[in-house]
């Protein structure tokens, strides 16, 4: 059911893969006390691991025919590292949108910025991971499709490209929907769609020299009044760390462990 | 009282529990109106009325089935423009979140996802970073569009009845740009849905094999009428299918009872289950961080404790 069947031999495909730099998903994350945005210094910064499936899918499509893959990311200066990291999987170029005014942007603003950066570049496919491991909203791919007026081909665990016809398997709670569209289109892929490759030494070296555009808001034709924390469509009133749970009863099994759990479940009326 | 629109999640008229929960939540904000899209509205009308809906807006046309997400956005956008509701509540499923995101753009409004509570003045509570942080936020522009997680509130039967109001919507060009050519159902286990289940029995690295899942974890789940979950270590090892993975990547669950066997409790896993009401742990390693979340824990070998527990639970029935 997984993987790609590709038949685009000899066709030039231009693919944009959007990636996000996030705190390591194996680390504790925090909000910053001053403005309730993500405290990016509190954990190691990595490429959102679900975006690696998007990069891999793009590379497989291009390798089955011809074409190039551009990595696009919006984020603070440090996010340039994540663009290079994603390129080192085998992509060809990078675009990094960085502007102090972007700090605290919500999903509506983020989708606006990405759409503006993508517009007019002639991409056939824009591929996302299905969610970021920090915000976990899963809305930006659909929003970018809406803003660009392109077919929304999201939550795919299979992507099939044949000429300019695209078919995906959209994961549902009963199985999947087979969905078709023409190109260009916006795709998001779910976890485990493929097996993301590790960057090879050759590609790591190539990524250092790959063309990278660093663009400000003005460069993509947006005004600071449309983005950032102060202009967000929603705001955080307050937040608190969850109180640590009171220590429960822990026993060591001496042949009676199951019996003790059963007694607990009975007291709690689960059985 | 101002209307609050609730998008009903259903399969051919069979209403999902989360929809009735959202009607109860909407009643705390204003007057609940259900939005029912697709076939089966007549079968659902009485249940929706009994759970607080005064009006059920119905959009039932072939276009709603032929395309994903966007026709529903078109219906909701029309209703938001006509009714100026106090809020729109949508189930926090993959579809629900995409509908909410696109609706926010269509009606130029803010969107909040994965709320677990919404107050009378439409302030949403979210458990972020896997429940480690509790955030209160509100939409500051337009109509609040909020997706709400399953199991956030209990449904309330009001004994009322609802009026059906049909809504005619011409779907947008972007809706018809994607076409569903086939719907494929994958055989179900007969167990409850992982994200909706009241009890989840979960296994991790300590389970040791795919056989461990079928011979130890699944029988306990079936004895308890529970869903089966797995840690990332277990799904990465190929012992259990990925769609049952609970964690930072994977599903977020918040059941009444979460029973974790052979799971150490790395942040990756805790992020998907730490808002569970009651947690029971079986693990060989007394120092495993999962014990910090346990209401009741046994330091011991799951390969003997869990089958014994299954036998005891079965014997009680």
């Amino acid at each position: 059911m997984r993987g790609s069947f590709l038949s685009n031999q000899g066709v030039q495909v231009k693919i944009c893969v959007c990636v996000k730099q996030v705190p390591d998903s194996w680390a504790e994350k925090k909000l910053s006390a001053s403005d309730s945005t993500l405290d990016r210094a509190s954990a190691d910064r990595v490429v959102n691991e679900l975006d690696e499936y998007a990069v891999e899918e793009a590379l497989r499509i291009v390798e089955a025919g011809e074409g190039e893959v551009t990595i696009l990311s919006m984020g603070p200066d440090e996010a340039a590292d994540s663009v290079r990291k994603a390129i080192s999987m085998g992509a060809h170029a990078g675009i990094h949108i960085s502007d102090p005014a972007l700090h605290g942007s919500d999903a509506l603003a983020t989708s606006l910025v990405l759409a503006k950066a993508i517009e007019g570049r002639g991409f056939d496919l824009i591929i996302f991971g299905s969610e970021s491991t920090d915000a976990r909203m899963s809305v930006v791919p659909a929003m970018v499709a809406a803003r660009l007026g392109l077919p929304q081909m999201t939550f795919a665990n299979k992507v099939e490209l044949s000429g300019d016809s695209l078919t995906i398997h959209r994961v549902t709670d009963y199985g999947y929907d087979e969905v078709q569209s023409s190109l260009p289109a916006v795709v998001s892929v779910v976890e485990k769609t493929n097996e993301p490759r590790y960057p090879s030494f050759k590609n790591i070296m190539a990524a250092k020299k790959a063309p990278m555009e660093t663009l400000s808001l003005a460069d993509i034709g947006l005004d600071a009044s449309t983005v950032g924390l102060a202009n967000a469509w929603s705001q955080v009133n307050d937040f608190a760390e969850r109180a640590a749970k009171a220590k429960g009863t822990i026993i060591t099994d001496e042949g009676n462990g199951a019996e003790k759990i059963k007694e607990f479940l009975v007291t709690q009326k689960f059985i | 009282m101002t209307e609050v629109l609730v998008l009903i999640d259903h399969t051919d008229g069979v209403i999902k529990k989360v929809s009735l929960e959202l009607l109860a939540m909407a009643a705390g904000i204003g007057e609940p109106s259900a939005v029912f899209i697709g076939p089966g509205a007549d079968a659902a009308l009485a249940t929706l009325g009994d759970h607080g809906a005064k009006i059920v807006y119905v959009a039932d046309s072939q276009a709603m089935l032929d395309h994903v997400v966007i026709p529903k956005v078109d219906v909701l956008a029309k209703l938001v423009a006509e009714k100026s509701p106090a809020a729109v509540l949508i189930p926090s499923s993959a579809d629900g979140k995409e509908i909410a995101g696109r609706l926010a753009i269509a009606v130029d409004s803010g969107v909040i996802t994965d709320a677990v509570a919404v107050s009378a003045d439409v302030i949403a509570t979210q458990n972020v970073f896997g429940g480690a942080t509790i955030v209160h936020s509100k939409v500051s522009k337009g109509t609040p569009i909020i997706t709400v997680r399953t199991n956030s509130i209990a449904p309330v039967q009001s004994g009322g009845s609802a009026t059906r109001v049909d809504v005619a919507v011409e779907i947008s060009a972007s809706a018809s740009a994607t076409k569903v050519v086939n719907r494929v159902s994958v055989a179900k286990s007969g167990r409850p849905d992982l994200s909706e289940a009241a009890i989840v029995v979960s296994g991790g690295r300590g389970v040791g094999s795919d056989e461990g899942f079928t011979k130890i974890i699944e029988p306990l789940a079936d004895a308890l009428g529970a869903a089966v979950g797995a840690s990332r270590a277990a799904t990465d090892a190929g012992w259990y299918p990925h769609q049952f993975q609970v964690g930072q990547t994977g599903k977020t669950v918040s059941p009444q009872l979460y029973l974790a066997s052979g799971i150490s409790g790395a942040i990756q896993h805790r992020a998907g289950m730490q808002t569970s009401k009651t947690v029971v742990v079986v693990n060989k390693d007394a120092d495993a961080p999962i014990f910090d979340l346990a209401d009741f824990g046994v330091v011991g070998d799951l390969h003997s404790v869990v089958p014994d527990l299954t036998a005891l639970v079965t014997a009680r029935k």
Side-chain angles (χ1 to χ4, degrees), chain B residues 146-196:
Chain B
I146 302 173
T147 77
V148 182
R149 280 198 187 152
T150 303
N151 290 336
S152 296
I153 187 175
V156 177
Q157 279 179 280
S158 65
S161 61
T163 311
R164 173 177 174 145
V165 176
D166 284 275
V167 187
V169 176
E170 204 160 309
I171 64 155
S172 56
S174 43
S176 40
T178 61
K179 181 151 175 58
V180 178
V181 292
N182 196 9
R183 280 182 205 281
V184 180
S185 291
V186 173
K188 283 266 158 106
S189 62
R191 296 191 185 95
D193 182 57
L194 178 57
S195 40
E196 290 208 343

Side-chain angles (χ1 to χ4, degrees), chain B residues 4-16:
Chain B
V4 176
L5 299 180
V6 173
L7 180 65
I8 302 303
D9 192 359
H10 70 97
T11 310
D12 297 333
V14 179
I15 301 164
K16 292 217 172 132

Side-chain angles (χ1 to χ4, degrees), chain A residues 21 97 113 130-131 170 189 209:
Chain A
Q21 187 178 60
I97 316 293
V113 169
S130 58
E131 69 177 43
R170 176 182 172 88
V189 292
K209 293 184 196 134

Side-chain angles (χ1 to χ4, degrees), chain A residues 183-199:
Chain A
L183 296 184
V186 175
V187 171
S188 81
V189 292
V190 299
E191 193 177 10
K192 309 272 169 93
T193 296
N194 50 42
E195 192 66 47
R197 68 193 68 185
Y198 289 101

Side-chain angles (χ1 to χ4, degrees), chain A residues 133 152 173 237-238 240 242, chain B residues 16 98 131 134 136 188 248:
Chain A
T133 55
Q152 176 193 318
D173 54 11
N237 287 7
D238 58 74
R242 176 176 295 274
Chain B
K16 292 217 172 132
E98 291 197 329
I134 300 157
H136 294 112
K188 283 266 158 106
Q248 170 80 70

